[in-house]
Amino acid sequence: MPDIREITDLSAPELDIYARLSEGQLLHYYEPDTGLFIAESPKVISRALDAGYEPVSLLMEPEHVEGEAREVVSRCGGIPVYTAEARILTELTGFQLTRGVLCAMRRRRLPDAASLCAGARRVAVLENVMNPTNVGAIFRSAAALGMDAVLLTPGCSDPLYRRAARVSMGTVFQVPWTFFDRQQCPWPERGMEVLRELGFKTAAMALKKDSVSIGDPALLAEERLAVVLGTEGDGLAAETIADCDYTVMIPMAHGVDSLNVAAASAVAFWELGKR
């Protein structure tokens, strides 16, 4: 039986993880052990459970206990299930819940970049992509269009942040990913070395005079390829572009000079993921 607990006191300390702690604070909640993240909506929570993430508690509207969240509740065992009407949940969390369900879950330790990519043939590298919506959209494209893994520089938004995971439709729990370690594997210096040691060629998505078309036969023929995408607005750092084996452009029409990084990722993964 689920452990249903109706919310009567918005200041209750057990609700801090949903109401009063930032996602950065949740990241360090059990430091030095792994922290927490918040998954939103039954679909996203289900995919996190499928991937083996451990639930800590649930927060939802009462009707969802036997409604949309019924399967999620049954899979989470005897953890606390906090309930309140939508108006109260909005007041508590500061936003309107998608599908009326949140789940606090334990993070897992991330693998190092080399072990993550050891068996991969196509990987995406995100350099300082700071918008969680873009990170989530890129993961969804990576899952759908054949990327084996995603690597992120420390300047990127965390894929487990609530908005990123929700926008990804839970695919952040399906595509293997990790951050380049700031000390052990700084990007681009050591990060590039790791990719080359594993046999990857690197393709910087950038508009330069020497860029090759995304349909270039030599590019498509590469056995192992890392597609490198840059931050919103400024794109990839000049140092990163110089270090890559290819500089690649998506041909444009009607005078458009570039695409949003999430849209560009979908085009690049579709074309370069073919093998």
Side-chain angles (χ1 to χ4, degrees), residues 60-70 73 99-101:
M60 67 185 68
E61 297 171 40
E63 61 266 29
H64 292 318
V65 174
E66 292 296 333
E68 288 193 54
R70 182 175 182 177
V73 171
R99 301 290 185 180
V101 183

Side-chain angles (χ1 to χ4, degrees), residues 8-25:
T8 57
D9 179 7
L10 295 185
S11 66
E14 58 267 28
L15 299 177
D16 285 351
I17 56 178
Y18 296 106
R20 287 170 287 276
L21 297 182
S22 69
E23 292 190 290
Q25 289 172 313

